[in-house]
Amino acid sequence: MKTLLCLCSLLCFLVSCEDPQPKSVDSNLNWEERMHTTTLPDSLENGSSYLSVYSQIYSVTEHVTHDLTATVSIRNTSRKDTLYITKGEYFDSQGKLLNTYIDKTIYLNPLETLAIVIAEKDKQGGPGANFIFDWQVKPNTSEPIFEGVMISTSGSQGLSFTTQGKKID
């Protein structure tokens, strides 16, 4: 009986020490300060971009995966005009919405870059995770760039690769 009590206590201790599933985190940027609070002009052009990101990647077989940290980079490519992001949504491999990072219009100054980081331990997205960003720019302004950088440094060898967003209808 004493041994069983010790084993139960040890099991409870080990379970309580396990890290909880971390939530996806964004950069240290104060997103509230980035909100655009006035009405945007009707003359702005609307666009949407799709960006694939990988929380995990397969290795050896479909049963073995490596967890990755994903950095999503939102880049205003204009030298003179502001970029407005009106929505930024994160979906898992099955297309289920996991998080809405941007639900109020934010702005990026010319040539500014903002980042969203998906922690390595955050496996929610899986190997087919993706973002959809809705954005607005002045007519004849270059489109924004959305990039993903995935990296893992666990084990004896590092792994990294990039993805680039694609404008969608």
Side-chain angles (χ1 to χ4, degrees), residues 40-48 82-84 86 134-144 167:
L40 294 173
D42 291 336
S43 62
L44 295 178
E45 294 180 353
N46 297 313
S48 294
T82 301
L83 163 67
Y84 301 97
T86 57
D134 296 331
W135 46 269
Q136 294 182 318
V137 294
K138 287 183 182 176
N140 302 313
T141 298
S142 58
E143 295 178 4
K167 187 175 179 186

Side-chain angles (χ1 to χ4, degrees), residues 82-93:
T82 301
L83 163 67
Y84 301 97
I85 306 291
T86 57
K87 186 166 278 225
E89 298 175 309
Y90 179 49
F91 298 87
D92 70 8
S93 297

Side-chain angles (χ1 to χ4, degrees), residues 100-134:
T100 300
Y101 280 92
I102 302 167
D103 61 356
K104 295 182 176 132
T105 302
I106 63 166
Y107 66 91
L108 280 77
N109 292 315
L111 299 177
E112 186 173 18
T113 301
L114 298 181
I116 297 171
V117 178
I118 308 298
E120 183 174 359
K121 290 184 178 184
D122 184 345
K123 301 175 189 181
Q124 293 182 78
N130 56 78
F131 277 85
I132 297 215
F133 293 100
D134 296 331

Side-chain angles (χ1 to χ4, degrees), residues 140-156:
N140 302 313
T141 298
S142 58
E143 295 178 4
I145 293 177
F146 300 92
E147 294 177 309
V149 178
M150 279 59 65
I151 186 168
S152 174
T153 55
S154 60
S156 61

